[in-house]
Amino acid sequence: KNQVEQSPQSLIILEGKNCTLQCNYTVSPFSNLRWYKQDTGRGPVSLTIMTFSENTKSNGRYTATLDADTKQSSLHITASQLSDSASYICVVSEKTSYDKVIFGPGTSLSVIP
Amino acid sequence: DAGITQSPRHKVTETGTPVTLRCHQTENHRYMYWYRQDPGHGLRLIHYSYGVKDTDKGEVSDGYSVSRSKTEDFLLTLESATSSQTSVYFCAISESGQGATEAFFGQGTRLTVV
C-alpha cells in the first residue's frame, strides 16, 4: 500500500534556530515529491517539488533533499522565523496515476521567540 | 489564493440535512478536487473532476456527491450529513493531474454537524 509518513509529528524550536523535518514514503513507482506549507486556517501552499533525478532543491531558507533509493526526503529550515510556524506536508505522486497524490499527515512546527 | 473561492467558509448544520459546499475558480484549470482534513490524518481525497461533467471518486467518497456543470464551479454535496462528516473541507485546482502540476488550494470550509 502506498503510504507517506512524516516525523516528528510536532516540533517546537526557538526563533533563529535551524530544524529538519523528515518524510518517508513507500509510493512506487515514484514520480515526484512536494513539500507544502499550511498556515493555520489556510490551505496548503507548495514550497518545492523534486523529481527522481533531483536530490536537493532550495526555496529561500527552505532546502529539500531527496534520496530516491531509500525513499526518504527531508525539509531543512534555516534561521527560523516566527512566520515559519505552520504545518509542513509531504506529498508524493505515483508515476502511473497523475490524477491523484498521497499526502503525509504533516509536521506541526512552532517557532517561539 | 490563486483565484479560488470556497463558500461558505463556516457552516453548522444538523444531522440528516443535506449540505452543499461550493468551489469557484477563475484560473480556468481543468482539474478540481475536494479534500477533507481531520486531526491525525493527511488530506484525504473525496472526489475530483477532470473536466466539465467528468468526475471520479477518491478514497473517502461514501456519503458525498459532486457536480461540475461549468469549468469554474465544483460542488460538493453531503446527501445526509452525519457527525463523522464534521471536518475542514478544501478545494484544490490544477492545470492537469495533481501528480504532474502544482495544485492550488482554497482557504477551506469548516463544517460542523451537530
Side-chain angles (χ1 to χ4, degrees):
Chain A
K1 180 181 177 182
N2 288 327
Q3 287 187 311
V4 177
E5 298 178 342
Q6 293 186 243
S7 61
Q9 183 176 353
S10 62
L11 183 63
I12 300 174
I13 62 171
L14 291 174
E15 184 180 13
K17 297 297 186 182
N18 303 336
C19 68
T20 300
L21 314 180
Q22 300 290 344
C23 173
N24 296 334
Y25 61 92
T26 60
V27 177
S28 181
F30 172 82
S31 176
N32 60 65
L33 183 149
R34 289 183 188 273
W35 283 94
Y36 280 85
K37 178 186 180 189
Q38 184 176 19
D39 293 319
T40 300
R42 302 184 70 87
V45 175
S46 180
L47 291 174
T48 66
I49 179 172
M50 303 184 73
T51 59
F52 186 89
S53 59
E54 297 173 302
N55 51 29
T56 303
K57 184 169 281 189
S58 293
N59 178 359
R61 293 179 298 101
Y62 300 101
T63 299
T65 65
L66 173 66
D67 185 335
D69 291 332
T70 61
K71 299 187 176 181
Q72 295 180 324
S73 177
S74 65
L75 181 69
H76 186 75
I77 304 174
T78 303
S80 61
Q81 301 176 359
L82 298 179
S83 60
D84 292 330
S85 294
S87 179
Y88 292 84
I89 304 171
C90 176
V91 182
V92 182
S93 69
E94 184 189 345
K95 192 172 289 187
T96 57
S97 176
Y98 284 121
D99 285 0
K100 292 177 278 188
V101 296
I102 301 157
F103 285 81
T107 292
S108 177
L109 175 66
S110 297
V111 181
I112 59 175
Chain B
D1 289 310
I4 307 170
T5 304
Q6 291 186 230
S7 59
R9 293 292 316 280
H10 302 273
K11 186 170 181 67
V12 180
T13 192
E14 293 186 349
T15 298
T17 60
V19 177
T20 295
L21 309 183
R22 180 181 184 236
C23 178
H24 178 78
Q25 62 147 327
T26 58
E27 306 296 322
N28 201 35
H29 283 355
R30 179 183 171 196
Y31 280 74
M32 298 186 75
Y33 301 81
W34 276 108
Y35 287 93
R36 61 178 289 172
Q37 187 173 41
D38 304 290
H41 292 274
L43 282 151
R44 292 182 291 176
L45 182 64
I46 304 171
H47 283 279
Y48 70 101
S49 169
Y50 48 94
V52 174
K53 299 191 189 303
D54 292 323
T55 64
D56 204 351
K57 296 179 179 180
E59 61 180 301
V60 291
S61 60
D62 287 347
Y64 300 95
S65 62
V66 291
S67 67
R68 191 167 178 200
S69 59
K70 297 185 290 185
T71 298
E72 57 267 34
D73 289 324
F74 192 33
L75 304 180
L76 176 70
T77 297
L78 288 65
E79 293 139 10
S80 177
T82 68
S83 58
S84 64
Q85 293 175 313
T86 292
S87 187
V88 180
Y89 292 86
F90 285 97
C91 173
I93 64 173
S94 61
E95 286 189 73
S96 59
Q98 196 173 344
T101 56
E102 181 177 352
F104 300 92
F105 286 80
Q107 291 195 316
T109 294
R110 182 172 295 276
L111 176 68
T112 302
V113 183
V114 298

